[in-house]
Structure formats: structure tokens, C-alpha cells
Amino acid sequence: MIVGSSLRELRQRRRSVTATKKITRAMELIASSRIVKAQAAARAAMPYTLELTKAVSMLASAYDLDHPLLVEAEKPRRSALLVITSDRGLAGAYSANVLKLGEQVRTYLEEEEGQEVDLFITGQKGLAYHEFRGREVAASWTGFSESPSARDAKTVADELVKRFLTPTEEGGVDEIHIVSTRFESMLKQTPRATRLLPLVVVDDDGKQEAPASANGDEPLFYEFEPDARTVLDALLPLFVSNRIHTALLQAGASELASRQQAMKSATDNAQQLIEQLTRQANQARQAEITQEITEIVGGASALSESA
Amino acid sequence: MDRDPLKVQVVSAEKVVWSGEAVQLIARTVEGDIGILPGHEPLLALLVPSRVEIVTADGRQEALFVDGGFISVAEGRVSVLAQEARMGQEISARDAQAELDGLTLKHQNGEATEEEQHRMHLLKAQLAAAEKAAR
């Protein structure tokens, strides 16, 4: 029991903790309802990703094309680093984790590979983090971290592809890396770093194969309109945009899952605190009553003795 | 026709817009209109902003709007992919027409930017899809 804390103070603290609990509880519920939507959006976007990946890997592997988005720079000198963070806080260690990995990747690129790094940020949290440290941010986008649309992804992709296609001497970049959070499950979200450009188009098993027909004997010979090169030209920016969209969707779901968990433990903590404060308040009340009785009895006996 | 109907799906970046079986599909590639019937050879073609028409296996007509993207055909499966794709009946013809009228006026005065001209193409395609779906 806190010595000297009066009954009034204890009650006041309990009231304030109760109010906090209401807020965290509400945020927990909001996060858990939104996460269902975020997961549905990620699921709904899957067919597009699958079909696009299929078409691009078919084109890139079956036809030996030296598209600029596929060609590796001999000695990369400048990289763009896209860090995907949240717009709002109160999501536990979500933003801290992804920013920490971003720092590691940046240090690695700068010190191990001797590259310059241009920072690109999505999400208010990441922006504030870097601005506070006085770092230069090449471009940033905010306002869609919880539910990114395909159009948001396209805006980001257009800017990055533009930088990539600009010659290094004129301020372009040779590589693009993404640091974002992958949604593994409701309980587990891991920050990950991947290289976005130059693209490595491989199947999940890591092999590059000529497209085979379903029965697996003969590769299919596609007819292209207008021609393979032009089709690839048009598809690759879509592919990049799609990769970014997928990363944003995963990050959005992760953010909500982290927030839900953080708010759940905050609610639980508040509940514990309320119970503790209630007990203390009751004790203080008992003590006050006991004191009063003692005083009355003491006063009465003093009177009867003097009489 | 003794061939199996085509398995078609029209997919936008955000979801599957339409999927089902079809006996015929018409789309507009960068080289012109193309009709796909069951048994079509493997094809990968770029689309322009346009209307995609589908005759379903049970004889209904569907019209969709795509903002470009591509079509791929292989082994009886047809996929139409576009950043944005919508069913014709989900497009408000009146809104599209109003916006188009505004831009056309601008265009006639020679004030339309490249972006706005592209937007005009998109709107025309939306209108085409909406009209076809309304019929």
C-alpha cells in the first residue's frame, strides 16, 4: 500500500486509469476489425500478383532480354532505400523494428558497398524519425499506411522507377531496396529487406525455367502483340508497382496486428492497475472508518471518566 | 462448337473483377481489336484503355472497362490484367460524360495537358463499357 495516499487520490487515479482502459480497448477493437479488411485486401490482390509474375517470368526467362530494369550495374554507386512505416504510433515495436532494420541496411550499403543511399519513406512515423535526426529524405508519402490502394503503390513505383532509369551521374540510382514488414501471422510480423531493382525474376523454388505447358512436355510458344520487347517494356513497370503494392498491403496488415496486440496488453495492464487501486482504495476507506470509530470511542470514554 | 469454353478472369490490381466461362471475348490491343475463341493459340498482348466484351457460356453479354494492361491466352485460359478494371454496369455514364465534356472543351481550345488527354481516352473507354452494359 502506498503510504500517505489518501482515499480521494486513489479514487482519482482509478478513474483516470479506467478512462485510459476504455480508449485502449476501443483501439484494440478498431484494429481487430480493420485487420480483417486488410487481410481480405491482401488476399484479393493475390490473383493479379500471380498472373503478372507468371507473365513476366515467362517473358524474361524464355526470351533473353536485356531490359534496363533487369540489368545489373557493374559497380552500383547509389541506391534508393524505401522504408515502409506506419502513419500512426501506438502499435508496439512495429515502427521501431522496421526503422532499425532500415538503419542496418543503410549502414551496410554505405560502409560495406561504398554506395550513397537516397532515402524514400512511406508513413508519417518513418518521416518523423528521419527528420528529427536531420537526415535528408529524397521523397516521402503518407496517409495510406493502413489501407494502401493500387494507386498509392503506383505513385511510389513511378517515382522510384524514374530515379532508376535516370543515369547515375544525373542523380539516378543503380539499385532499389525495400525494407518493410511481412505479415506472417496475427502473432508474428517480421521486418525484411529485399532488393526491388534490378529485378530478379525467379520462381519460388529459385529456378528459372522456360514456360512449359500444363502436361509438361513442350514449352508453349507465345505470340506477342506488338512484340516481346514492347510487351516486357510495358509489363515491368506494372510488376514493380505490384511488388510495392504487395509490400504496402503486408505492412498495413502487420501494422494493424501489432497495434491490436499492443492495445490488448495495454488494456490488460490497465485492468490490473484498476484492481490494485480498488483494493488500495478499500483499505484506505476501512482505515479511515476505523480511525473515526477510535476517535469517537476515545472521546466518549474521556467524557465518561471526567463526569 | 465442340471445344470447351474459355476460362476467363479479369483481374485488377486490387481484386478479381470478373471470372467465369466464356465462348467469346473481344478486346482492343495496341494493334487493333482481337477476338478470342476457344482453342486460340498462346498469346500475350498489350491492351489500350478500352472496353472488353465477353459472351459468357450461358449466352449473356458482359462489358468491362480496362485502363490498359494486357491479355494472356494459353491452353483455354484467358487472363485480362489491368491496374484498373471495372464492370460496365458499375460505371456512372453520366459522371463520365460530364467529365469528358469538360475536358473536350479544354482540348478544343488546345489547353489540355498530356495527362488530361490520356484521361479523355480512359473516359471514352468507360463510357463505351457503360453503354454496352446498359443495353
Side-chain angles (χ1 to χ4, degrees), chain A residues 50-291:
Chain A
L50 286 178
E51 287 294 325
L52 195 56
T53 311
K54 212 162 73 184
V56 171
S57 54
M58 187 271 285
L59 265 165
S61 58
Y63 303 89
D64 203 17
L65 294 165
D66 51 347
H67 193 278
L69 294 187
L70 298 170
V71 178
E72 306 245 352
E74 294 226 338
K75 178 115 188 41
R77 275 182 293 160
R78 187 182 289 140
S79 281
L81 180 62
L82 174 67
V83 184
I84 297 176
T85 66
S86 62
D87 281 329
R88 294 191 300 138
L90 295 173
Y94 171 79
S95 280
N97 283 343
V98 72
L99 286 169
K100 197 165 74 190
L101 183 66
E103 288 293 296
Q104 284 169 5
V105 171
R106 204 170 82 105
T107 316
Y108 174 81
L109 289 172
E110 282 180 346
E111 285 171 12
E112 304 287 317
E113 302 211 336
Q115 300 196 42
E116 285 175 52
V117 177
D118 286 353
L119 274 175
F120 294 80
I121 309 286
T122 73
Q124 193 57 48
K125 280 280 143 189
L127 188 61
Y129 174 89
H130 288 98
E131 276 181 348
F132 180 71
R133 281 160 185 75
R135 305 234 179 90
E136 198 184 318
V137 175
S140 63
W141 300 269
T142 55
F144 52 75
S145 77
E146 274 183 18
S147 55
S149 72
R151 194 164 298 176
D152 298 328
K154 192 172 180 299
T155 322
V156 178
D158 285 350
E159 175 70 25
L160 288 175
V161 169
K162 197 182 85 197
R163 299 274 176 141
F164 185 77
L165 295 176
T166 314
T168 320
E169 293 74 33
E170 292 163 31
V173 296
D174 300 315
E175 286 183 355
I176 296 176
H177 299 262
I178 298 189
V179 172
S180 69
T181 309
R182 214 169 122 119
F183 183 86
E184 315 256 7
S185 71
M186 287 296 287
L187 296 173
K188 193 167 177 230
Q189 302 90 34
T190 32
R192 279 166 60 106
T194 43
R195 192 183 75 182
L196 177 69
L197 288 173
L199 280 174
V200 194
V201 189
V202 281
D203 297 312
D204 283 340
D205 53 3
K207 279 183 287 181
Q208 276 189 322
E209 282 176 14
S213 58
N215 46 26
D217 42 24
E218 248 178 72
L220 289 170
F221 289 101
Y222 276 80
E223 189 189 325
F224 295 101
E225 240 179 79
D227 57 77
R229 174 86 206 194
T230 319
V231 175
L232 190 63
D233 277 355
L235 254 54
L236 280 177
L238 288 185
F239 188 64
V240 172
S241 176
N242 172 253
R243 282 274 175 99
I244 291 177
H245 191 211
T246 312
L248 285 172
L249 285 171
Q250 292 251 342
S254 302
E255 178 191 336
L256 290 166
S258 293
R259 178 164 300 132
Q260 194 216 343
Q261 259 190 307
M263 287 303 113
K264 182 167 165 36
S265 54
T267 310
D268 292 349
N269 281 344
Q271 181 58 38
Q272 254 179 24
L273 209 54
I274 290 170
E275 280 166 21
Q276 201 186 331
L277 287 169
T278 310
R279 221 170 292 131
Q280 285 173 3
N282 286 345
Q283 262 175 22
R285 188 169 55 92
Q286 290 290 343
E288 230 171 68
I289 293 166
T290 313
Q291 173 120 30

